[in-house]
Coordinates of all heavy atoms in Angstrom, one line a residue:
M1 N -9.9 5.6 -41.7 CA -10.5 4.9 -40.5 C -9.5 4.4 -39.5 O -9.6 4.6 -38.3 CB -11.3 3.7 -41.1 CG -12.3 3.2 -40.1 SD -13.6 4.4 -39.9 CE -14.8 3.4 -39.1
K2 N -8.4 3.9 -40.1 CA -7.3 3.4 -39.2 C -6.6 4.6 -38.5 O -6.3 4.4 -37.3 CB -6.3 2.6 -40.1 CG -5.3 1.8 -39.3 CD -4.5 1.0 -40.2 CE -3.6 0.2 -39.3 NZ -2.8 -0.7 -40.1
V3 N -6.5 5.7 -39.2 CA -5.9 6.9 -38.6 C -6.7 7.4 -37.4 O -6.2 7.7 -36.4 CB -5.6 8.0 -39.6 CG1 -5.1 9.3 -39.0 CG2 -4.7 7.5 -40.7
R4 N -8.0 7.5 -37.6 CA -8.9 7.9 -36.6 C -8.8 7.0 -35.3 O -8.7 7.5 -34.2 CB -10.4 7.9 -37.1 CG -11.1 9.1 -36.6 CD -12.4 9.2 -37.3 NE -13.5 8.7 -36.5 CZ -14.7 8.5 -37.0 NH1 -14.9 8.6 -38.2 NH2 -15.6 8.0 -36.2
G5 N -8.8 5.7 -35.5 CA -8.6 4.8 -34.4 C -7.3 5.0 -33.7 O -7.2 4.9 -32.5
S6 N -6.3 5.3 -34.5 CA -5.0 5.5 -34.0 C -4.9 6.8 -33.1 O -4.3 6.8 -32.0 CB -4.0 5.6 -35.1 OG -2.7 5.9 -34.6
R7 N -5.6 7.8 -33.6 CA -5.6 9.1 -32.8 C -6.4 8.9 -31.5 O -6.0 9.3 -30.4 CB -6.3 10.2 -33.6 CG -5.4 10.8 -34.7 CD -6.1 11.9 -35.3 NE -5.3 12.4 -36.5 CZ -5.8 13.0 -37.5 NH1 -7.1 13.2 -37.6 NH2 -5.0 13.3 -38.5
R8 N -7.5 8.2 -31.6 CA -8.3 7.9 -30.4 C -7.4 7.1 -29.4 O -7.4 7.3 -28.2 CB -9.5 7.1 -30.7 CG -10.3 6.7 -29.5 CD -11.4 5.8 -29.8 NE -12.6 6.6 -30.3 CZ -13.7 6.0 -30.8 NH1 -13.7 4.7 -30.9 NH2 -14.7 6.7 -31.2
S9 N -6.7 6.1 -29.9 CA -5.9 5.3 -29.1 C -4.8 6.1 -28.4 O -4.5 5.9 -27.2 CB -5.2 4.2 -29.9 OG -4.3 3.4 -29.2
E10 N -4.2 7.0 -29.2 CA -3.1 7.9 -28.6 C -3.7 8.8 -27.6 O -3.1 9.0 -26.5 CB -2.5 8.7 -29.8 CG -1.3 9.5 -29.3 CD -0.2 8.7 -28.7 OE1 0.0 7.6 -29.1 OE2 0.5 9.3 -27.8
R11 N -4.9 9.4 -27.8 CA -5.5 10.2 -26.8 C -5.8 9.5 -25.5 O -5.5 9.9 -24.4 CB -6.8 10.8 -27.3 CG -6.6 12.1 -28.2 CD -7.9 12.8 -28.3 NE -9.0 12.0 -28.7 CZ -9.4 11.9 -30.0 NH1 -8.8 12.5 -31.0 NH2 -10.5 11.1 -30.3
L12 N -6.3 8.2 -25.7 CA -6.6 7.4 -24.5 C -5.3 7.1 -23.7 O -5.2 7.1 -22.5 CB -7.2 6.1 -25.0 CG -7.6 5.1 -23.9 CD1 -8.6 5.8 -22.9 CD2 -8.2 3.9 -24.5
R13 N -4.2 6.8 -24.5 CA -2.9 6.5 -23.9 C -2.4 7.7 -23.1 O -2.0 7.6 -21.9 CB -1.9 6.1 -24.9 CG -0.6 5.8 -24.4 CD 0.4 5.4 -25.6 NE 1.7 5.3 -25.2 CZ 2.6 6.3 -25.0 NH1 2.2 7.5 -25.2 NH2 3.8 6.1 -24.5
T14 N -2.5 8.9 -23.7 CA -2.1 10.1 -23.0 C -2.9 10.4 -21.7 O -2.3 10.7 -20.7 CB -2.2 11.3 -24.0 OG1 -1.4 11.0 -25.1 CG2 -1.7 12.6 -23.3
R15 N -4.2 10.2 -21.8 CA -5.1 10.5 -20.7 C -4.8 9.4 -19.6 O -4.8 9.8 -18.4 CB -6.5 10.5 -21.1 CG -6.9 11.7 -21.9 CD -8.2 11.7 -22.6 NE -9.3 11.4 -21.7 CZ -10.5 11.2 -22.2 NH1 -10.8 11.2 -23.5 NH2 -11.5 11.0 -21.4
T16 N -4.6 8.2 -20.0 CA -4.3 7.2 -19.0 C -3.0 7.4 -18.3 O -2.9 7.3 -17.0 CB -4.2 5.8 -19.7 OG1 -5.4 5.5 -20.3 CG2 -3.9 4.7 -18.7
I17 N -2.0 7.9 -19.0 CA -0.7 8.2 -18.4 C -0.9 9.4 -17.4 O -0.3 9.3 -16.3 CB 0.4 8.5 -19.4 CG1 0.8 7.3 -20.2 CG2 1.6 9.2 -18.8 CD1 1.6 7.5 -21.4
A18 N -1.6 10.4 -17.8 CA -1.9 11.5 -16.9 C -2.6 11.1 -15.6 O -2.3 11.5 -14.5 CB -2.7 12.6 -17.6
L19 N -3.6 10.2 -15.8 CA -4.3 9.6 -14.6 C -3.4 8.8 -13.7 O -3.5 9.0 -12.4 CB -5.5 8.8 -15.1 CG -6.7 9.5 -15.5 CD1 -7.7 8.6 -16.1 CD2 -7.3 10.3 -14.4
V20 N -2.5 8.0 -14.2 CA -1.6 7.2 -13.4 C -0.7 8.2 -12.7 O -0.4 7.9 -11.5 CB -0.8 6.2 -14.3 CG1 0.3 5.6 -13.5 CG2 -1.8 5.2 -14.9
R21 N -0.2 9.2 -13.3 CA 0.6 10.2 -12.6 C -0.1 10.8 -11.4 O 0.5 11.0 -10.3 CB 1.2 11.2 -13.5 CG 2.2 10.7 -14.5 CD 2.8 11.8 -15.4 NE 3.8 11.2 -16.2 CZ 4.0 11.5 -17.5 NH1 3.3 12.5 -18.0 NH2 5.0 11.0 -18.2
K22 N -1.3 11.2 -11.6 CA -2.1 11.8 -10.6 C -2.4 10.8 -9.4 O -2.3 11.2 -8.3 CB -3.5 12.3 -11.1 CG -3.4 13.6 -11.9 CD -4.8 14.0 -12.3 CE -4.8 15.2 -13.2 NZ -6.1 15.6 -13.6
L23 N -2.6 9.6 -9.8 CA -2.8 8.5 -8.8 C -1.6 8.3 -8.0 O -1.6 8.2 -6.7 CB -3.3 7.2 -9.4 CG -3.5 6.0 -8.5 CD1 -4.6 6.3 -7.5 CD2 -3.8 4.8 -9.3
K24 N -0.4 8.3 -8.6 CA 0.8 8.1 -7.9 C 1.1 9.3 -6.9 O 1.5 9.0 -5.8 CB 2.0 8.0 -8.9 CG 2.1 6.6 -9.5 CD 3.3 6.6 -10.4 CE 3.5 5.2 -11.0 NZ 4.7 5.1 -11.9
K25 N 0.8 10.5 -7.4 CA 0.9 11.6 -6.5 C 0.0 11.5 -5.3 O 0.4 11.8 -4.2 CB 0.7 12.9 -7.2 CG 1.8 13.4 -8.1 CD 1.5 14.8 -8.7 CE 2.6 15.2 -9.6 NZ 2.3 16.5 -10.2
A26 N -1.3 11.1 -5.5 CA -2.3 11.0 -4.5 C -1.8 9.9 -3.5 O -2.0 10.1 -2.3 CB -3.6 10.7 -5.0
L27 N -1.3 8.8 -4.0 CA -0.8 7.7 -3.1 C 0.3 8.2 -2.2 O 0.4 7.9 -1.0 CB -0.5 6.5 -3.9 CG -1.7 5.7 -4.4 CD1 -1.2 4.6 -5.4 CD2 -2.5 5.1 -3.3
A28 N 1.3 8.9 -2.9 CA 2.4 9.4 -2.1 C 2.0 10.4 -1.0 O 2.5 10.4 0.1 CB 3.4 10.1 -3.1
E29 N 1.0 11.3 -1.3 CA 0.5 12.2 -0.4 C -0.2 11.5 0.8 O 0.0 11.8 2.0 CB -0.5 13.2 -1.0 CG -1.1 14.2 -0.1 CD 0.0 15.2 0.5 OE1 1.1 15.2 0.0 OE2 -0.4 16.0 1.4
A30 N -1.0 10.5 0.5 CA -1.7 9.7 1.5 C -0.7 9.0 2.4 O -0.8 9.0 3.6 CB -2.6 8.6 0.8
R31 N 0.4 8.4 1.8 CA 1.4 7.8 2.7 C 2.1 8.8 3.5 O 2.4 8.6 4.7 CB 2.4 7.1 1.8 CG 1.9 5.8 1.2 CD 2.9 5.1 0.3 NE 2.3 4.0 -0.3 CZ 2.1 3.9 -1.6 NH1 2.6 4.8 -2.4 NH2 1.5 2.8 -2.1
R32 N 2.4 10.0 3.0 CA 3.0 11.1 3.7 C 2.2 11.5 4.9 O 2.7 11.8 6.0 CB 3.3 12.3 2.8 CG 4.2 13.4 3.5 CD 4.3 14.6 2.6 NE 3.0 15.4 2.5 CZ 2.5 16.1 3.4 NH1 3.1 16.3 4.6 NH2 1.3 16.7 3.3
L33 N 0.9 11.4 4.8 CA -0.1 11.8 5.9 C -0.3 10.7 6.8 O -1.0 10.8 7.8 CB -1.4 12.3 5.3 CG -1.3 13.5 4.5 CD1 -2.7 13.8 3.8 CD2 -1.0 14.7 5.4
G34 N 0.3 9.5 6.6 CA 0.2 8.4 7.5 C -1.0 7.5 7.2 O -1.4 6.7 8.1
L35 N -1.6 7.7 6.1 CA -2.8 6.9 5.7 C -2.4 5.6 5.1 O -1.3 5.5 4.5 CB -3.7 7.7 4.7 CG -4.1 9.0 5.2 CD1 -4.9 9.7 4.0 CD2 -5.0 8.9 6.4
F36 N -3.2 4.6 5.2 CA -2.9 3.3 4.7 C -3.3 3.3 3.2 O -4.5 3.4 2.8 CB -3.7 2.2 5.4 CG -3.3 0.8 4.9 CD1 -2.1 0.2 5.2 CD2 -4.2 0.1 4.1 CE1 -1.8 -1.0 4.7 CE2 -3.9 -1.2 3.7 CZ -2.6 -1.8 4.0
A37 N -2.3 3.3 2.3 CA -2.6 3.4 0.9 C -1.8 2.3 0.1 O -1.1 2.6 -0.9 CB -2.2 4.8 0.4
E38 N -1.8 1.1 0.7 CA -1.0 0.0 0.1 C -1.9 -1.0 -0.6 O -3.1 -1.0 -0.4 CB -0.3 -0.8 1.2 CG 0.5 0.1 2.2 CD 1.6 0.9 1.4 OE1 2.2 0.3 0.5 OE2 1.9 2.0 1.8
D39 N -1.3 -1.7 -1.5 CA -2.0 -2.8 -2.3 C -1.8 -4.1 -1.7 O -1.4 -5.1 -2.4 CB -1.7 -2.7 -3.8 CG -0.2 -3.0 -4.0 OD1 0.6 -2.9 -3.0 OD2 0.2 -3.2 -5.1
R40 N -1.9 -4.2 -0.4 CA -1.7 -5.5 0.3 C -2.7 -5.6 1.5 O -3.3 -4.6 1.9 CB -0.3 -5.6 0.8 CG 0.1 -4.5 1.8 CD 1.4 -4.7 2.5 NE 1.8 -3.6 3.3 CZ 1.4 -3.4 4.5 NH1 0.6 -4.2 5.1 NH2 1.8 -2.3 5.2
E41 N -2.8 -6.8 2.0 CA -3.6 -6.9 3.2 C -2.8 -6.4 4.4 O -1.6 -6.2 4.4 CB -4.0 -8.4 3.4 CG -4.9 -8.9 2.2 CD -5.3 -10.3 2.5 OE1 -5.4 -10.8 3.6 OE2 -5.7 -10.9 1.4
L42 N -3.5 -6.2 5.5 CA -2.9 -5.8 6.7 C -2.1 -6.9 7.3 O -2.4 -8.1 7.2 CB -4.0 -5.3 7.7 CG -4.8 -4.1 7.3 CD1 -6.0 -3.9 8.2 CD2 -4.0 -2.9 7.2
L43 N -1.0 -6.5 8.0 CA 0.0 -7.5 8.5 C -0.3 -7.7 10.0 O -0.8 -6.9 10.7 CB 1.4 -6.9 8.4 CG 1.8 -6.6 7.0 CD1 3.1 -5.8 7.0 CD2 2.0 -7.9 6.2
A44 N 0.1 -8.9 10.4 CA 0.0 -9.3 11.8 C 1.1 -10.3 12.1 O 1.5 -11.1 11.3 CB -1.3 -10.0 12.1
C45 N 1.7 -10.1 13.3 CA 2.8 -11.0 13.7 C 2.3 -12.1 14.6 O 1.7 -11.8 15.6 CB 3.9 -10.2 14.4 SG 5.3 -11.3 15.0
R46 N 2.4 -13.4 14.1 CA 1.9 -14.5 14.9 C 2.7 -14.7 16.2 O 2.2 -15.2 17.2 CB 2.0 -15.8 14.1 CG 1.0 -15.9 13.0 CD 1.1 -17.2 12.3 NE 0.2 -17.2 11.2 CZ 0.0 -18.2 10.4 NH1 0.7 -19.3 10.6 NH2 -0.8 -18.1 9.4
L47 N 4.0 -14.3 16.2 CA 4.8 -14.5 17.4 C 4.5 -13.6 18.5 O 4.3 -14.0 19.6 CB 6.3 -14.4 17.0 CG 7.3 -14.9 17.9 CD1 7.2 -16.4 18.1 CD2 8.7 -14.6 17.4
C48 N 4.4 -12.3 18.3 CA 4.2 -11.3 19.4 C 2.8 -10.7 19.4 O 2.5 -10.0 20.3 CB 5.3 -10.3 19.4 SG 5.1 -9.1 18.0
G49 N 2.1 -10.9 18.3 CA 0.7 -10.3 18.3 C 0.6 -8.9 17.8 O -0.5 -8.4 17.7
L50 N 1.7 -8.3 17.4 CA 1.7 -7.0 16.8 C 0.8 -7.0 15.6 O 0.9 -8.0 14.8 CB 3.1 -6.5 16.5 CG 3.2 -5.0 16.3 CD1 3.1 -4.3 17.7 CD2 4.6 -4.6 15.7
Q51 N 0.0 -6.0 15.4 CA -1.0 -6.1 14.3 C -1.3 -4.7 13.7 O -1.5 -3.8 14.4 CB -2.3 -6.7 14.8 CG -3.4 -7.0 13.9 CD -4.6 -7.6 14.6 OE1 -4.4 -8.7 15.2 NE2 -5.7 -7.0 14.6
E52 N -1.4 -4.7 12.4 CA -1.9 -3.5 11.7 C -3.4 -3.4 11.7 O -4.1 -4.4 11.6 CB -1.4 -3.5 10.2 CG 0.1 -3.2 10.1 CD 0.5 -3.1 8.6 OE1 -0.1 -3.8 7.8 OE2 1.5 -2.5 8.3
D53 N -3.8 -2.2 11.7 CA -5.3 -1.9 11.5 C -5.4 -0.5 10.9 O -4.4 0.2 10.8 CB -6.0 -1.9 12.9 CG -7.5 -2.1 12.8 OD1 -8.0 -2.2 11.6 OD2 -8.1 -2.2 13.8
V54 N -6.6 -0.2 10.4 CA -6.8 1.1 9.8 C -7.9 1.8 10.6 O -9.0 1.2 10.8 CB -7.2 1.0 8.3 CG1 -7.5 2.4 7.7 CG2 -6.1 0.3 7.5
A55 N -7.6 3.0 11.1 CA -8.6 3.8 11.8 C -9.7 4.3 10.9 O -9.5 4.3 9.6 CB -7.9 5.0 12.5
I56 N -10.8 4.7 11.4 CA -11.9 5.1 10.6 C -11.6 6.3 9.7 O -12.1 6.5 8.6 CB -13.1 5.5 11.5 CG1 -14.4 5.5 10.6 CG2 -12.9 6.8 12.3 CD1 -15.7 5.4 11.4
D57 N -10.5 7.1 10.1 CA -10.1 8.2 9.3 C -9.0 7.8 8.3 O -8.4 8.7 7.6 CB -9.6 9.4 10.1 CG -8.4 9.0 11.0 OD1 -8.0 7.9 10.9 OD2 -8.0 9.9 11.8
G58 N -8.7 6.5 8.2 CA -7.7 6.0 7.2 C -6.3 5.9 7.7 O -5.5 5.4 6.9
R59 N -6.0 6.4 8.9 CA -4.7 6.3 9.4 C -4.3 4.8 9.7 O -5.1 4.0 10.2 CB -4.5 7.1 10.7 CG -4.4 8.5 10.5 CD -4.3 9.3 11.9 NE -5.5 9.0 12.7 CZ -5.4 8.3 13.8 NH1 -4.3 7.9 14.3 NH2 -6.5 8.1 14.6
L60 N -3.0 4.5 9.4 CA -2.5 3.1 9.8 C -2.2 3.1 11.3 O -1.6 4.0 11.8 CB -1.3 2.8 9.0 CG -0.6 1.5 9.3 CD1 -1.5 0.3 8.9 CD2 0.7 1.4 8.6
L61 N -2.7 2.0 11.9 CA -2.4 1.8 13.3 C -1.6 0.5 13.4 O -2.0 -0.5 12.7 CB -3.7 1.7 14.1 CG -4.7 2.8 14.1 CD1 -5.9 2.4 14.9 CD2 -4.1 4.1 14.6
V62 N -0.6 0.4 14.3 CA 0.0 -0.8 14.6 C -0.1 -1.0 16.1 O 0.4 -0.2 16.9 CB 1.5 -0.8 14.1 CG1 2.2 -2.1 14.5 CG2 1.6 -0.6 12.6
T63 N -0.8 -2.1 16.4 CA -1.2 -2.2 17.8 C -0.7 -3.5 18.5 O -0.3 -4.4 17.8 CB -2.8 -2.2 17.9 OG1 -3.3 -3.3 17.3 CG2 -3.4 -0.9 17.3
V64 N -0.7 -3.5 19.8 CA -0.3 -4.7 20.6 C -1.6 -5.4 21.1 O -2.7 -4.8 21.1 CB 0.5 -4.3 21.8 CG1 1.9 -3.7 21.3 CG2 -0.2 -3.2 22.7
P65 N -1.5 -6.7 21.4 CA -2.7 -7.5 21.8 C -3.5 -6.8 22.9 O -4.7 -6.9 22.9 CB -2.1 -8.8 22.2 CG -0.8 -8.9 21.4 CD -0.3 -7.5 21.3
G66 N -2.9 -6.2 23.9 CA -3.6 -5.7 25.0 C -4.3 -4.4 24.8 O -5.2 -3.9 25.5
N67 N -4.0 -3.7 23.7 CA -4.6 -2.4 23.3 C -4.7 -2.2 21.8 O -3.7 -1.8 21.2 CB -3.8 -1.3 24.0 CG -4.5 0.1 23.8 OD1 -5.5 0.2 23.1 ND2 -3.9 1.1 24.4
R68 N -5.8 -2.6 21.2 CA -6.0 -2.5 19.8 C -6.4 -1.2 19.3 O -6.6 -1.0 18.1 CB -7.0 -3.6 19.3 CG -6.5 -5.0 19.5 CD -5.3 -5.3 18.6 NE -4.9 -6.7 18.7 CZ -3.6 -7.1 18.4 NH1 -2.7 -6.2 18.0 NH2 -3.3 -8.3 18.5
K69 N -6.6 -0.2 20.2 CA -7.0 1.1 19.8 C -5.9 2.2 19.7 O -6.0 3.2 19.1 CB -8.1 1.6 20.7 CG -9.3 0.8 20.6 CD -10.5 1.3 21.4 CE -11.6 0.3 21.3 NZ -12.8 0.8 20.9
C70 N -4.8 1.9 20.3 CA -3.7 2.8 20.4 C -2.5 2.4 19.5 O -2.0 1.3 19.5 CB -3.2 2.9 21.8 SG -1.9 4.1 22.1
D71 N -2.1 3.4 18.6 CA -1.0 3.1 17.7 C 0.3 3.2 18.4 O 0.6 4.1 19.2 CB -1.0 4.2 16.6 CG 0.0 4.0 15.6 OD1 0.5 2.9 15.4 OD2 0.4 5.0 14.9
T72 N 1.1 2.1 18.2 CA 2.4 2.1 18.9 C 3.4 3.0 18.2 O 4.5 3.3 18.8 CB 3.0 0.6 18.9 OG1 3.1 0.2 17.5 CG2 2.1 -0.3 19.6
G73 N 3.2 3.3 17.0 CA 4.1 4.1 16.2 C 5.1 3.2 15.5 O 5.9 3.7 14.6
L74 N 5.1 1.9 15.8 CA 6.0 0.9 15.1 C 5.4 0.7 13.7 O 4.2 0.7 13.5 CB 6.1 -0.3 15.9 CG 6.6 -0.2 17.3 CD1 6.5 -1.5 18.1 CD2 8.1 0.2 17.3
R75 N 6.3 0.3 12.8 CA 5.9 0.0 11.5 C 6.6 -1.3 11.0 O 7.8 -1.3 11.2 CB 6.1 1.1 10.5 CG 5.3 2.4 10.8 CD 3.8 2.1 10.6 NE 3.0 3.3 10.9 CZ 2.3 3.5 12.0 NH1 2.4 2.6 13.0 NH2 1.6 4.5 12.2
F76 N 5.9 -2.2 10.3 CA 6.5 -3.4 9.7 C 7.5 -2.9 8.6 O 7.1 -1.9 7.9 CB 5.5 -4.3 9.2 CG 4.8 -5.1 10.2 CD1 3.6 -4.5 10.9 CD2 5.2 -6.4 10.6 CE1 3.0 -5.2 11.8 CE2 4.5 -7.1 11.6 CZ 3.4 -6.5 12.2
A77 N 8.6 -3.5 8.5 CA 9.6 -3.1 7.5 C 9.6 -4.1 6.3 O 9.7 -5.3 6.6 CB 11.0 -2.9 8.1
R78 N 9.6 -3.7 5.1 CA 9.6 -4.5 4.0 C 11.0 -5.2 3.9 O 12.0 -4.6 4.0 CB 9.4 -3.7 2.7 CG 9.2 -4.5 1.5 CD 9.1 -3.6 0.2 NE 8.0 -2.7 0.4 CZ 7.0 -2.5 -0.5 NH1 7.0 -3.3 -1.6 NH2 6.1 -1.7 -0.3
V79 N 10.9 -6.5 3.7 CA 12.2 -7.3 3.6 C 12.6 -7.5 2.2 O 13.8 -7.4 1.9 CB 12.0 -8.7 4.3 CG1 13.2 -9.6 4.1 CG2 11.7 -8.5 5.8
D80 N 11.7 -7.8 1.3 CA 12.0 -8.0 -0.1 C 11.4 -6.9 -1.0 O 10.5 -6.2 -0.5 CB 11.6 -9.4 -0.6 CG 10.1 -9.6 -0.5 OD1 9.4 -8.8 0.2 OD2 9.6 -10.4 -1.2
K81 N 11.9 -6.8 -2.2 CA 11.4 -5.7 -3.1 C 9.9 -5.9 -3.4 O 9.2 -4.9 -3.6 CB 12.3 -5.7 -4.3 CG 12.2 -4.5 -5.1 CD 13.3 -4.6 -6.3 CE 13.3 -3.3 -7.0 NZ 14.3 -3.3 -8.1
Q82 N 9.5 -7.1 -3.5 CA 8.1 -7.3 -4.0 C 7.1 -7.1 -2.8 O 5.9 -7.0 -3.1 CB 7.9 -8.8 -4.5 CG 8.7 -9.1 -5.7 CD 10.2 -9.3 -5.4 OE1 10.5 -9.7 -4.3 NE2 11.0 -9.1 -6.4
G83 N 7.5 -7.0 -1.6 CA 6.6 -6.8 -0.5 C 5.9 -8.1 0.0 O 4.9 -8.0 0.6
N84 N 6.5 -9.2 -0.3 CA 6.0 -10.5 0.1 C 6.3 -10.8 1.5 O 5.6 -11.6 2.2 CB 6.4 -11.6 -0.8 CG 5.9 -11.5 -2.2 OD1 4.8 -11.0 -2.4 ND2 6.7 -11.9 -3.2
W85 N 7.4 -10.2 2.0 CA 7.9 -10.5 3.4 C 8.2 -9.2 4.1 O 8.8 -8.3 3.5 CB 9.1 -11.4 3.3 CG 8.8 -12.8 2.7 CD1 9.0 -13.1 1.4 CD2 8.3 -13.9 3.3 NE1 8.6 -14.4 1.2 CE2 8.1 -14.9 2.3 CE3 7.8 -14.2 4.6 CZ2 7.6 -16.1 2.6 CZ3 7.3 -15.4 4.9 CH2 7.2 -16.4 3.9
W86 N 7.8 -9.2 5.4 CA 8.0 -8.0 6.2 C 8.6 -8.4 7.6 O 8.3 -9.5 8.1 CB 6.6 -7.4 6.4 CG 5.9 -6.9 5.2 CD1 5.4 -7.7 4.2 CD2 5.9 -5.6 4.7 NE1 4.9 -7.0 3.2 CE2 5.2 -5.7 3.4 CE3 6.3 -4.4 5.2 CZ2 4.9 -4.5 2.7 CZ3 6.0 -3.2 4.4 CH2 5.4 -3.3 3.2
R87 N 9.3 -7.5 8.2 CA 9.9 -7.7 9.5 C 9.1 -7.0 10.5 O 8.8 -5.8 10.4 CB 11.4 -7.3 9.5 CG 12.1 -7.6 10.8 CD 13.6 -7.4 10.8 NE 14.2 -8.0 9.6 CZ 14.5 -9.3 9.5 NH1 14.2 -10.1 10.4 NH2 15.1 -9.7 8.4
C88 N 8.8 -7.8 11.6 CA 8.0 -7.2 12.7 C 9.0 -6.3 13.5 O 10.1 -6.7 13.8 CB 7.6 -8.4 13.6 SG 6.8 -7.7 15.2
P89 N 8.6 -5.1 13.7 CA 9.5 -4.1 14.4 C 9.6 -4.4 15.9 O 10.5 -3.9 16.5 CB 8.7 -2.8 14.2 CG 7.3 -3.1 14.0 CD 7.3 -4.5 13.4
H90 N 8.8 -5.2 16.4 CA 8.9 -5.5 17.8 C 9.7 -6.8 18.1 O 10.7 -6.6 18.8 CB 7.4 -5.8 18.4 CG 7.4 -6.1 19.9 ND1 7.8 -5.2 20.8 CD2 7.1 -7.2 20.5 CE1 7.7 -5.7 22.0 NE2 7.3 -6.9 21.9
C91 N 9.4 -7.9 17.5 CA 10.2 -9.1 17.9 C 11.1 -9.5 16.7 O 11.9 -10.5 16.9 CB 9.2 -10.3 18.1 SG 8.3 -10.9 16.7
K92 N 11.1 -8.8 15.6 CA 12.0 -9.0 14.5 C 11.8 -10.3 13.7 O 12.6 -10.6 12.8 CB 13.5 -9.0 14.9 CG 13.9 -7.8 15.8 CD 13.7 -6.5 15.1 CE 14.1 -5.3 15.9 NZ 13.5 -4.0 15.6
S93 N 10.7 -11.0 13.9 CA 10.4 -12.1 13.1 C 9.9 -11.7 11.7 O 9.4 -10.5 11.5 CB 9.3 -13.0 13.8 OG 8.1 -12.4 13.8
V94 N 10.0 -12.6 10.8 CA 9.6 -12.2 9.4 C 8.1 -12.7 9.2 O 7.8 -13.8 9.5 CB 10.6 -12.9 8.4 CG1 10.1 -12.6 6.9 CG2 11.9 -12.3 8.6
V95 N 7.3 -11.8 8.6 CA 5.9 -12.1 8.4 C 5.6 -12.1 6.9 O 6.1 -11.2 6.2 CB 5.1 -10.9 9.1 CG1 3.6 -11.1 8.8 CG2 5.4 -10.9 10.6
K96 N 4.8 -13.0 6.5 CA 4.4 -13.0 5.1 C 3.3 -12.0 4.9 O 2.3 -11.9 5.7 CB 3.8 -14.4 4.7 CG 3.5 -14.5 3.2 CD 3.3 -16.0 2.8 CE 2.8 -16.1 1.4 NZ 3.6 -15.4 0.4
G97 N 3.4 -11.2 3.8 CA 2.5 -10.2 3.5 C 1.7 -10.5 2.3 O 2.1 -10.2 1.2
P98 N 0.5 -11.1 2.4 CA -0.2 -11.5 1.2 C -0.7 -10.3 0.5 O -1.2 -9.4 1.0 CB -1.4 -12.3 1.8 CG -1.5 -11.8 3.2 CD -0.2 -11.4 3.7
R99 N -0.5 -10.3 -0.8 CA -0.9 -9.2 -1.7 C -2.3 -9.4 -2.1 O -2.8 -10.6 -2.3 CB 0.0 -9.1 -2.9 CG 1.4 -8.8 -2.5 CD 2.3 -8.6 -3.7 NE 2.0 -7.4 -4.4 CZ 2.5 -6.2 -4.0 NH1 3.3 -6.1 -3.0 NH2 2.3 -5.1 -4.7
I100 N -3.1 -8.4 -2.3 CA -4.4 -8.5 -2.8 C -4.3 -8.7 -4.3 O -3.6 -8.0 -5.0 CB -5.2 -7.2 -2.5 CG1 -5.3 -7.0 -1.0 CG2 -6.6 -7.2 -3.2 CD1 -5.9 -5.7 -0.6
T101 N -5.1 -9.7 -4.8 CA -5.0 -10.0 -6.2 C -6.2 -9.5 -7.0 O -7.2 -9.2 -6.4 CB -4.9 -11.5 -6.5 OG1 -5.9 -12.2 -5.8 CG2 -3.5 -12.0 -6.0
Ligands
LIG1 ZN1 6.4 -9.7 16.3

């Protein structure tokens, strides 16, 4: 009985690892295509108003206050390894990036 459970557990572990690898590849491909595939909320700079948004097709947009439909091509840069802090590419201020829990 214990061996059977152990085999089941090992199969589950193997399948889970394979799924995680596929997910990582899919996320990398989405990022390569410019899609928003992050595990955080969208960023906004309080100082200059630069703001992230996601288009209906999943593309990340970073817009200015006067035009929220056009992507500037600018991207917030991660400041710390955890992704808690980001640098605004326009005014260079540091923005807190709340993570989705
Ligand atoms: Zn800014």
